[in-house]
Amino acid sequence: MFAFPTLCTPRGPVPEDAPRWNPQRSSSMPSHRYRPAFARVDVPLTDRSWPSARTEQAPLWVPVDLRDGNQALAEPMDTPRKRRMFDLLVAMGYKEIEVGYPSASRTDFDFVRHLATSGAVPDDVTPVVFTPAKADLIERTFASVEGLDRAVVHLYIPTAPVWRDVVLGRGRAELHSMVLDAARLMDRLAARPGADIRFEFSPEVFVLTEPDYVLELCDSLTRLWEASPDRPVIHNLPATVEIATPNVYADQIEYMHRHLDRRDSVILSVHPHNDRGTGVACAELAVLAGAQRVEGCLFGNGERTGNVDLVTLALNLHAQGVDPMVDFSDIDEIRRTVEHCNRLAVPPRHPYGGDLVHTAFSGTHQDAISKGFAHRERTGQERWEVPYLPIDPADVGRTYEAVIRVNSQSGKGGIAHLLRAGHGVGLPERMRADFSRTVQRATDDSGREASAQDLWDLFAATYLAPGGDERVVLTSWSAETTGSGECRFVCSLRVDGREGDYEGTGGGPVSAFTHALEAAGVPVAVLDFAEHGAEGGAAPGTVTAYAECRSGGTVRWGAGRADSAVAASVAAVLSAVNRMDVPVPALD
């Protein structure tokens, strides 16, 4: 048995109150070193209302890819990549975009100047720039937006106790004084004619800051900046480092939503990170709790585990029937652009945007999806109700080709769906199990995925051209209807190397052909038969036929494809006859 040398199997005691069905033991990890959120910050809300709220409209989305996301890149974006990202965000419909941290680097400053002087900013888009609460950095930030008709200047300062004590070495009152000095300077610098400069404030690590202190800071800035409904201030409350389950963040946001002064003059904004893997849930619950604005990044790029993912948030709304107010109708192009700009790959199972997110390999899933598509085709229903697919892949520019993919885990429904969609092969229900055994054997042997072309090649080799040394070869034939209404089938057959002329009559070409085979010493009974015209990827005028036949104690399926129903039917019966000696793999 392989041992993992770096792991230590838990050998501690089973907790005394553990039920008998849970024998988990205490691990050696030092969990006692960490305090729960409720021991670190007071959450005074007790009569919460957010659990019964519903999201009926999108918040204002603010992508921070060009600032917060850019800071998290091993290779920060240069101006061409930043411009490409900016243009993408504009094209998608974002109306407020954080474009940089101008005082942090020359590249960021130059890019903001590029936007200010190039005419790249549409009339209905507001750039946001980010600055610490330091006078020289604030002045450089305002210099970067000179010439822009409108902008939001985003002021931040760490406010949580650990940051105040360890990072800044300042008490509450001293830190508040720093914030007010920075805010007054911003107010003076913004007072230039013809420019609409609004303000945003972030008490950094809001989730660990005392609620009364956050209210004190925010309300003082609302008053100092003379916020009004026509010129509101943005108070952005970041989960800079996630510390608790999303319901705790929702409680904190609802508390602020209820207690902020001059609430109609405040845009309540949130900025969740994803340290606990719950950034999306935090944002969604925060909106239920009163947030009106959400900052995040496309596909969740950002420091550590990332910023909240705007793609997932918006398309989650779409899946609930709420217009996200941004356009994801070409998700692959969006993903390609973001990957180019960030030089980071989007994982294949990333919600909505990954290569595999609409794909089913499991047989049960494939069968349900295939039936869902068939139901939509029959009924013409507009409402989307296809099992296992939360949204229609076409909504985000995906085709249906990659929805069902086949490997050794796949089932007969998915195989049948791909054959029909790609090659117009409508396998009868009972024939699906027969062919799926062949597919499973092939995929088990190869260990690889089978493409739609692989399935067609395997189907053709199995049924349409079952082998190189057929026992029965039809060298010529003709069929005609007699005066009595029966079908007369005349043919030349080579059976086991001996050729002869034979004929048979019956109610139709299939039964007449089986009588001709019987005359040649090949008794055949047709148990099931189906045929159809051109479907899916089949050429116009093509007919495909399927026949389940018994000869002696052996039952086999066959298929034929031709430009007439009679020729396809004859080929299907002949295929089944020639497969009588071919062993059929067992299906696990």
Side-chain angles (χ1 to χ4, degrees):
M1 187 177 195
F2 183 78
F4 294 90
T6 61
L7 296 181
C8 180
T9 301
R11 294 186 176 88
V14 176
E16 292 182 2
D17 58 350
R20 291 183 64 186
W21 50 263
N22 185 355
Q24 293 180 149
R25 295 179 175 274
S26 299
S27 78
S28 61
M29 296 181 66
S31 302
H32 63 278
R33 298 171 55 210
Y34 303 95
R35 291 186 296 157
F38 293 100
R40 303 175 71 188
V41 65
D42 181 34
V43 184
L45 187 70
T46 57
D47 57 339
R48 60 191 59 81
S49 63
W50 61 261
S52 60
R54 294 185 179 183
T55 303
E56 297 179 344
Q57 64 180 27
L60 176 66
W61 308 112
V62 181
V64 296
D65 299 78
L66 293 166
R67 195 274 301 175
D68 204 353
N70 188 54
Q71 288 175 235
L73 299 177
E75 299 179 40
M77 288 180 265
D78 54 18
T79 292
R81 283 156 63 204
K82 275 179 167 277
R83 176 60 189 271
R84 184 169 175 179
M85 177 72 81
F86 179 80
D87 289 345
L88 170 70
L89 297 171
V90 169
M92 292 174 68
Y94 291 106
K95 299 304 179 185
E96 201 166 288
I97 302 170
E98 193 166 73
V99 296
Y101 190 164
S103 64
S105 70
R106 188 184 68 187
T107 302
D108 267 31
F109 184 89
D110 289 347
F111 178 67
V112 178
R113 294 306 305 147
H114 165 75
L115 294 180
T117 58
S118 65
V121 182
D123 292 340
D124 60 348
V125 172
T126 301
V128 182
V129 287
F130 188 77
T131 182
K134 294 184 178 180
D136 57 331
L137 303 183
I138 291 170
E139 290 172 352
R140 183 159 176 79
T141 300
F142 272 86
S144 74
V145 299
E146 184 72 32
L148 284 172
D149 294 332
R150 78 213 136 270
V152 170
V153 178
H154 182 178
L155 173 70
Y156 90 98
I157 195 167
T159 59
V162 172
W163 277 256
R164 293 198 309 259
D165 298 340
V166 175
V167 179
L168 299 177
R170 306 289 176 94
R172 284 177 48 153
E174 192 176 5
L175 191 68
H176 194 168
S177 179
M178 289 176 58
V179 170
L180 291 178
D181 287 344
R184 292 188 187 99
L185 175 59
M186 288 170 59
D187 202 33
R188 290 197 302 272
L189 293 173
R192 59 180 172 87
D196 179 14
I197 307 294
R198 293 188 294 112
F199 303 127
E200 176 178 355
F201 173 62
S202 286
E204 190 75 2
V205 201
F206 156 76
V207 291
L208 282 174
T209 305
E210 306 92 328
D212 67 303
Y213 188 48
V214 177
L215 281 172
E216 179 186 325
L217 292 171
C218 290
D219 288 346
S220 67
L221 294 182
T222 301
R223 291 190 297 271
L224 188 153
W225 283 331
E226 298 182 349
S228 67
D230 292 335
R231 192 171 179 272
V233 65
I234 301 164
H235 287 315
N236 184 56
L237 307 178
T240 316
V241 179
E242 279 196 298
I243 63 160
T245 51
N247 60 294
V248 175
Y249 189 50
D251 284 350
Q252 293 174 310
I253 296 301
E254 184 167 341
Y255 180 82
M256 299 299 293
H257 169 57
R258 291 189 190 182
H259 293 91
L260 280 167
D261 191 22
R262 292 159 66 170
R263 184 64 185 86
D264 63 346
S265 300
V266 172
I267 299 170
L268 181 54
S269 176
V270 293
H271 181 113
H273 277 250
N274 199 43
D275 300 270
R276 292 170 51 90
T278 58
V280 166
C282 281
E284 291 181 329
L285 297 192
V287 170
L288 294 177
Q292 301 153 288
R293 180 180 182 272
V294 176
E295 295 185 351
C297 288
L298 296 182
F299 301 107
N301 176 49
E303 294 283 10
R304 305 180 309 281
T305 56
N307 290 280
V308 71
D309 178 359
L310 294 184
V311 174
T312 301
L313 283 173
L315 288 173
N316 280 355
L317 284 186
H318 174 68
Q320 294 296 309
V322 177
D323 185 349
M325 308 298 285
V326 281
D327 188 358
F328 289 92
S329 59
D330 192 349
I331 193 74
D332 289 333
E333 180 59 29
I334 294 168
R335 188 189 70 217
R336 283 190 292 267
T337 300
V338 172
E339 288 178 330
H340 168 80
C341 294
N342 289 343
R343 293 180 178 168
L344 292 173
V346 173
R349 295 201 184 276
H350 188 285
Y352 300 107
D355 277 336
L356 296 178
V357 297
H358 303 295
T359 300
F361 289 100
S362 161
T364 54
H365 288 211
Q366 291 177 343
D367 184 62
I369 292 170
S370 180
K371 289 176 178 175
F373 279 132
H375 177 74
R376 283 181 57 79
E377 190 174 322
R378 286 194 308 271
T379 63
Q381 179 177 292
E382 181 182 11
R383 187 174 62 251
W384 182 255
E385 291 182 346
V386 174
Y388 296 112
L389 293 178
I391 67 168
D392 184 346
D395 292 350
V396 291
R398 293 281 179 83
T399 67
Y400 297 134
E401 293 176 4
V403 169
I404 291 176
R405 292 166 62 175
V406 171
N407 61 18
S408 61
Q409 305 299 308
S410 304
K412 55 186 182 294
I415 293 167
H417 175 84
L418 288 179
L419 280 177
R420 181 177 181 181
H423 298 280
V425 174
L427 290 179
E429 187 69 31
R430 285 172 42 205
M431 189 179 181
R432 295 180 182 185
D434 185 79
F435 184 50
S436 69
R437 283 188 283 265
T438 301
V439 174
Q440 188 175 76
R441 182 176 62 178
T443 52
D444 276 339
D445 289 346
S446 70
R448 296 186 300 104
E449 176 186 351
S451 68
Q453 184 61 45
D454 292 334
L455 293 177
W456 166 252
D457 292 343
L458 194 57
F459 174 83
T462 302
Y463 299 107
L464 302 184
D469 296 317
E470 291 89 350
R471 179 191 172 208
V472 181
V473 179
L474 182 64
T475 57
S476 65
W477 63 274
S478 64
E480 61 180 7
T481 303
T482 66
S484 61
E486 289 187 310
C487 180
R488 178 171 176 259
F489 193 94
V490 179
C491 62
S492 293
L493 289 167
R494 186 167 61 250
V495 180
D496 295 329
R498 297 188 302 273
E499 190 160 353
D501 296 327
Y502 306 94
E503 67 176 79
T505 57
V510 171
S511 62
F513 180 45
T514 61
H515 290 148
L517 286 169
E518 187 175 4
V522 184
V524 176
V526 177
L527 307 180
D528 196 2
F529 180 84
E531 67 181 23
H532 59 75
E535 295 181 1
T542 300
V543 177
T544 308
Y546 315 89
E548 185 184 30
C549 300
R550 181 177 63 227
S551 182
T554 304
V555 177
R556 292 287 185 271
W557 277 94
R561 175 167 276 196
D563 57 5
S564 75
V566 174
S569 304
V570 169
V573 172
L574 192 62
S575 167
V577 167
N578 282 314
R579 295 188 67 242
M580 291 296 172
D581 295 328
V582 177
V584 176
L587 182 61
D588 294 336

